[in-house]
Amino acid sequence: MDYETIKIIQGYAYWFITLLLVVLLYGYIYHLYKSQRSGKIDYEKYARLALDDGLNDKLIEERSNKDKKKES
């Protein structure tokens, strides 16, 4: 391959990867929005996780002990 062909392939690959990453980003944002709206997950309570990081701070969620296998 000559230099010009490689540059053309790089250009097309750059735009394809950029478009793919934009689609994935907007898909992830839509997933977060849909989960928040349906009430499945409340992401706003996780926003203060880095600030409320002490041992005596209030828990974000109570731990459920349904699955005993994960505890060991």
Side-chain angles (χ1 to χ4, degrees), residues 41-50 60-61:
I41 298 175
D42 185 16
Y43 289 104
E44 290 184 17
K45 67 182 175 183
Y46 292 107
R48 295 197 47 89
L49 183 61
I60 293 175
E61 290 182 344

Side-chain angles (χ1 to χ4, degrees):
M1 284 192 194
D2 60 344
Y3 182 71
E4 295 298 323
T5 307
I6 293 173
K7 291 297 267 184
I8 290 172
I9 292 172
Q10 281 181 336
Y12 283 124
Y14 172 80
W15 285 108
F16 175 73
I17 291 172
T18 302
L19 183 64
L20 177 68
L21 290 175
V22 166
V23 168
L24 290 175
L25 175 66
Y26 278 108
Y28 181 66
I29 291 170
Y30 176 73
H31 164 72
L32 293 177
Y33 175 75
K34 189 174 120 183
S35 297
Q36 180 83 20
R37 289 286 284 193
S38 68
K40 198 175 354 176
I41 298 175
D42 185 16
Y43 289 104
E44 290 184 17
K45 67 182 175 183
Y46 292 107
R48 295 197 47 89
L49 183 61
L51 298 174
D52 298 334
D53 197 23
L55 291 175
N56 298 325
D57 291 335
K58 186 178 135 187
L59 295 176
I60 293 175
E61 290 182 344
E62 293 297 324
R63 182 176 176 190
S64 65
N65 290 329
K66 292 178 187 175
D67 195 6
K68 297 285 185 183
K69 293 179 184 177
K70 289 185 179 179
E71 291 182 13
S72 58

